[in-house]
Amino acid sequence: MAVYAIYKIIFEKTDQKALYMKDDGTTAIERANELLGSLMSEGSVRVFKNGKDGESIPLECDVERKHEDVMALSVYNEKKVKYYRKRDEQTQVSTPGCNVIVWNKPQVGLIAIERSPSFDSKPDRVRDILQSSFNCTLEQDYGIRVTFRAKMHAGEFWDLIREHHVTLGDKVKKVEFKFGQLDEEEANLSYDAPQTALERLKWMQRVAVITQAVKGALTMEAKKDGTLYLDQAQEDIAQMVNLCCDNGYSIAVHFRLYGVYRYGEQTKALIQMKDEMWEEFKNGQTSTGFKTDRGKFAIMQWLENVRHITEAYSDEEPVTKKRKSSHQD
């Protein structure tokens, strides 16, 4: 069972003036989906990643199948692997792959990127590679830009923990409870929490005051490759969580694959897909167990379900990169 991050396909005009216009008078932005699809119409797609020294490294990207508005891509990373042949250190290039599904449908376009170890289980890296590669052509030739913005959703703390830890199988490597500014007056305040939790908090506050600390925290870490178990049924843990939630303190849960989730923040939409769905679409054959009522590929119905699930989710806010200032002598 693979896990996919879901992104919304969004087009916008750029400041680049383009001469593109069809004979019928339609402009590039009006045919944006068509132009994006044309970049994925051949057996392979031109993509690249930025190396550590700023150089562009071309990567292999195969179009496994194109059916209606849906395309299945395999994006292959390039990693240098060191090994020893007797006493001599050798290096070889490894090209592990990652599955990508593009639903290039006007108004509702989505892209699903597998959470794959090929790209260190970080779908955003694949998103950035595809986005920048496509825009090299779209911006220069047509004066439009495509962005893939992650679908984001908010939920109750325990619901999100169960989703990532239990449903998606991600391990919790660290949990941090941060109690913010502490002083003698705050140590005597009353909090909305059970008595046992209050006693623990006040003990930590007294230690912080004695040591003249300005902040206090409780950190728990799992053993290497292990996981912490956060369960709402565990009364002590539930009380600590409630204490922080009810009094405005910070909780940070560090997952091994997803990264850091902080209480109150939105999380990126991650949805599972059975491996057989990808294989049947790639091979062009519907299997008995995954054929839909309409006789379509099961991956088509999966995309419809994803659209329905994420319809009320918000789109990730674009990140504005700070421009480095230049100084002239």
Side-chain angles (χ1 to χ4, degrees), residues 7 19 99 162 228 255 272 275 290 296 298:
Y7 303 82
L19 300 177
N99 298 339
R162 278 191 293 270
L228 297 175
F255 291 97
Q272 292 179 309
D275 297 332
F290 297 95
K296 293 183 178 180

Side-chain angles (χ1 to χ4, degrees), residues 5-8 10 123-124 127-128 131 147-153 258 266-269 313-319:
I6 310 301
Y7 303 82
K8 175 72 174 178
I10 297 176
D124 279 1
R127 182 272 306 272
D128 293 343
Q131 187 174 275
T147 57
F148 303 135
R149 296 185 189 172
K151 300 298 291 184
M152 309 290 291
H153 71 111
Y258 178 81
Q266 292 184 321
T267 61
K268 294 180 179 179
Y313 291 3
S314 60
D315 297 332
E316 178 184 28
E317 291 294 330
V319 177

Side-chain angles (χ1 to χ4, degrees), residues 1-5 113-116 123 167-169 269-273 275 302:
M1 188 82 74
V3 176
Y4 287 78
I113 301 176
E114 180 187 14
R115 189 175 68 186
S116 168
T167 305
L168 301 177
L270 297 171
I271 298 179
Q272 292 179 309
M273 184 207 297
D275 297 332
W302 182 85

Side-chain angles (χ1 to χ4, degrees), residues 4-5 23 51 73 80 84 86 93 98 102 125 132 136 145 170 176 178 185 203 212 222 235 246 251 262 272 288:
Y4 287 78
D23 294 337
L73 310 179
K80 293 182 179 180
Y84 281 88
K86 295 185 177 180
V93 177
C98 169
V102 181
R125 291 186 180 179
S132 60
C136 279
R145 178 187 300 114
D170 202 349
E176 296 176 295
K178 296 183 179 180
E185 291 184 4
W203 177 82
Q212 297 185 6
E235 185 176 355
D246 294 342
I251 310 174
R262 291 181 173 83
Q272 292 179 309
T288 304

Side-chain angles (χ1 to χ4, degrees), residues 39 42-49 56-64 72-79 93-100 118-119 126 129-130 133-134:
L39 301 179
E42 303 298 332
S44 61
V45 181
R46 293 181 58 188
V47 301
F48 58 89
K49 71 175 182 179
S56 294
I57 302 175
L59 301 179
E60 293 183 58
C61 179
D62 297 332
V63 180
E64 303 290 359
L73 310 179
S74 292
V75 183
Y76 298 94
N77 200 1
E78 183 175 298
K79 295 184 175 183
V93 177
S94 175
T95 55
C98 169
N99 298 339
V100 176
S118 305
F119 290 88
V126 183
I129 287 171
L130 294 176
S133 300
F134 293 152

Side-chain angles (χ1 to χ4, degrees), residues 219-253:
T219 301
M220 298 176 290
E221 293 192 40
K223 63 182 180 181
K224 184 178 180 180
D225 298 328
T227 185
L228 297 175
Y229 292 94
L230 298 181
D231 191 337
Q232 193 173 9
Q234 297 170 333
E235 185 176 355
D236 289 344
I237 293 296
Q239 287 181 356
M240 288 294 294
V241 170
N242 292 337
L243 175 66
C244 290
C245 294
D246 294 342
N247 294 282
Y249 291 132
S250 170
I251 310 174
V253 181

